[in-house]
Amino acid sequence: AVAGGSQLFVSYGQRILVWNDYRNKAIFSEADFIIGQDRGDENFNNKGIFAGDVINYQVTTGGYLFVSANYKIFIFRLPVTGGGSNYQPIKILRSSDNVYWKDDNAPVQFQPCGLAYDETQDALWVSDVDGYRVLRIATPLGDAKVDIVLGQPNKTSLAPNAGQGGPNRVGFGKMWSLALDRFRNLYVVDSGYEGGGNKRILRF
């Protein structure tokens, strides 16, 4: 669960549940809004805007909700004022579509998983699990450009552990979650969901 302003967000399957004024809710209160499904008893139907499980999500103090699901990153403006299967984000970042390399403006292919938004730099860190790398997308709400790659020697390499075989100081085995602390250090959970990967946390 993550909080943003007076709203609480909880992902469950192919939807996000939203409670208003959550600090004053009674126990067992139903969610005020559901993003991704039309009713509380609907889930796991591959319908709705996410059309798959919500993998990761983050609320920013600047008033945005970032969600990774089904090979896309959905960006919603807060507060959430409605719900339903087609509650619209303000932007969707898609692999090989509207995210580009900063140096040559070519589209970037990636499978987003973990998310960490750096509000100071207006940059979104994204773990690309298929590429065994972490990408930094500058100005994700504007002209989204990848300007930093972690975990690979260059932007075209996609081998696990940076192509060096086993675990090392520069590569990843499987990245699940990302986080930034108040000093803007980036933490990468180099371990797949329920195990796998290198089973470690790296700090940059």
Side-chain angles (χ1 to χ4, degrees), residues 9-199:
F9 303 85
V10 177
S11 70
Y12 175 34
Q14 300 179 5
R15 60 188 185 174
I16 292 180
L17 307 176
V18 185
W19 283 266
N20 291 328
D21 192 24
Y22 67 94
R23 293 182 180 87
N24 297 312
K25 288 289 189 187
I27 296 175
F28 302 122
S29 293
E30 294 184 357
D32 294 287
F33 304 119
I34 301 172
I35 302 174
Q37 299 293 333
D38 288 326
R39 302 195 314 268
D41 60 354
E42 292 180 329
N43 206 352
F44 304 109
N45 55 15
N46 295 322
K47 299 178 181 179
I49 191 167
F50 300 129
D53 287 354
V54 171
I55 304 301
N56 219 307
Y57 63 113
Q58 181 189 7
V59 171
T60 74
T61 58
Y64 296 99
L65 169 66
F66 289 87
V67 179
S68 64
N70 198 20
Y71 298 89
K72 304 177 184 72
I73 300 171
F74 300 81
I75 307 173
F76 298 90
R77 191 74 173 96
L78 300 182
V80 168
T81 57
S85 59
N86 293 309
Y87 185 78
Q88 289 300 301
I90 59 173
K91 188 172 185 179
I92 301 175
L93 300 176
R94 298 180 178 87
S95 173
S96 302
D97 180 20
N98 60 350
V99 179
Y100 305 95
W101 295 109
K102 183 178 180 180
D103 58 351
D104 62 8
N105 213 38
V108 182
Q109 183 176 358
F110 61 99
Q111 181 182 350
C113 184
L115 304 171
Y117 180 62
D118 184 342
E119 300 193 49
T120 302
Q121 296 293 318
D122 186 21
L124 179 66
W125 292 96
V126 178
S127 61
D128 173 17
V129 293
D130 281 354
Y132 301 95
R133 61 189 182 180
V134 173
L135 307 174
R136 191 179 83 158
I137 304 175
T139 59
L141 290 163
D143 190 14
K145 297 287 181 68
V146 175
D147 58 359
I148 294 177
V149 178
L150 300 178
Q152 296 291 1
N154 53 59
K155 69 179 187 180
T156 59
S157 297
L158 301 173
N161 292 309
Q164 297 184 20
N168 55 73
R169 292 179 63 87
V170 296
F172 304 122
K174 202 71 168 178
M175 306 83 59
W176 180 251
S177 184
L178 304 177
L180 287 164
D181 65 18
R182 61 192 179 96
F183 303 108
R184 296 180 49 241
N185 295 308
L186 176 68
Y187 295 82
V188 180
V189 179
D190 185 19
S191 175
Y193 179 61
E194 295 184 344
N198 292 321
K199 299 182 176 65

